[in-house]
Amino acid sequence: QGDKKAQCLALTIPVLHYVNKKQFKQVEEAVERIKEVSRKNGYLQYYYFGCSNVINQHINQGRTLLALQESMKMKEQAMADNYPYGIATCLRIMGNIYVTRRSPKEALERYQEALEYSQKYVTDQDLAFLYRSISKQLHALRRYEEALQAAEQGIACAKTYKNKAACMQQKCEMLYALDRNEDFLNYYAFCVKDREEHNSNDRPNEWIVLKMKYYIYTAQYDKACLLY
């Protein structure tokens, strides 16, 4: 049994290699192989790993309609397999597709559906990233108080530092959007200290934007200009 799982795990390597090289045709070929072997060996998590990577490639290349069509097929297959992880993953990916299509209302609905489903059926997953995604779409819809609440829920449930820090950053963004100036300044300082303590450089572009907001608010315009 261990050999069967190892066989599936080994087949993730060419998928990730071709994804990093942006060689889409080879990605599709590698995914077909891992889907075939994983289903035969009974390790469906690798089947849906393959599906996800193909859809993400479509998203990255701007083929969002095709990505949406493939995600619907993925969801139908996951439901036929009665495989909760595949269903939850597909709902999250649909949210990502709608984000790319600049449809925050639809993206929010898919992320909320993914969250509710995962809370019932995929309880071992770290759901912080879903709360952050929900918060970002609420932000886009100018529902700032709800967005702040979602970010705080993500912080509270995070199982990894990376996901917790991402939600902390989102909370900082929402305090700024809400014009809670003193809270923003205090929490920004807290987040900067936390990143330094963990030697973290995750999401550097998003932090540059947040840092510019901080410099502008504190009238450090020269420093803000240097970040453009």
Side-chain angles (χ1 to χ4, degrees), residues 16-217:
L16 294 173
H17 171 75
Y18 292 127
V19 166
N20 289 332
K21 293 287 187 180
K22 299 181 180 180
Q23 296 176 326
F24 186 66
K25 182 179 179 181
Q26 288 83 350
V27 170
E28 287 187 311
E29 292 172 353
V31 164
E32 285 305 311
R33 176 61 176 158
I34 197 172
K35 286 169 64 177
E36 176 187 354
V37 173
S38 61
R39 184 165 290 279
K40 178 181 176 182
N41 289 357
Y43 286 94
L44 289 179
Q45 63 265 42
Y46 297 103
Y47 179 95
Y48 291 100
F49 162 85
C51 293
S52 299
N53 273 280
V54 168
I55 296 170
N56 286 335
Q57 289 291 288
H58 289 317
I59 295 172
N60 292 337
Q61 296 183 22
R63 298 196 292 260
T64 56
L65 179 58
L66 184 55
L68 197 56
Q69 292 170 342
E70 288 297 320
S71 68
M72 291 298 296
K73 292 179 184 177
M74 176 181 169
K75 183 181 178 184
E76 290 173 3
Q77 185 62 60
M79 292 179 71
D81 289 332
N82 192 26
Y83 193 63
Y85 172 79
I87 297 171
T89 299
C90 187
L91 291 170
R92 176 176 55 80
I93 289 174
M94 287 179 175
N96 296 344
I97 294 169
Y98 283 116
V99 169
T100 303
R101 300 184 85 172
R102 298 182 181 180
S103 302
K105 184 176 180 294
E106 289 80 3
L108 175 62
E109 289 172 355
R110 295 291 81 74
Y111 287 139
Q112 288 175 326
E113 189 178 355
L115 177 64
E116 291 170 9
Y117 183 87
S118 298
Q119 287 173 327
K120 290 182 180 178
Y121 302 111
V122 197
T123 55
D124 62 326
Q125 295 293 303
D126 189 341
L127 300 181
F129 67 93
L130 274 173
Y131 278 110
R132 179 174 181 260
S133 296
I134 288 169
S135 179
K136 289 176 77 69
Q137 298 317 300
L138 288 167
H139 185 183
L141 293 167
R142 300 180 182 274
R143 293 161 60 179
Y144 299 146
E145 289 286 357
E146 293 173 81
L148 175 61
Q149 183 180 11
E152 290 176 334
Q153 288 175 299
I155 294 168
C157 78
K159 296 182 179 181
T160 66
Y161 171 73
K162 183 175 182 178
N163 283 341
K164 182 179 180 180
C167 290
M168 288 169 61
Q169 176 189 328
Q170 180 62 17
K171 177 180 176 177
C172 203
E173 289 278 5
M174 296 322 306
L175 291 172
Y176 182 88
L178 284 162
D179 292 325
R180 288 172 51 177
N181 299 331
E182 186 174 349
D183 290 337
F184 166 70
L185 292 176
N186 290 336
Y187 201 70
Y188 175 85
F190 173 78
C191 289
V192 169
K193 182 179 178 182
D194 181 76
R195 284 170 66 84
E196 290 173 352
E197 289 177 351
H198 288 86
N199 196 28
S200 172
N201 193 37
D202 290 334
R203 304 169 309 282
N205 293 335
E206 293 182 29
W207 267 100
I208 287 173
V209 173
L210 191 57
K211 188 179 290 188
M212 279 195 294
K213 292 176 180 178
Y214 170 78
Y215 285 147
I216 291 169
Y217 179 77

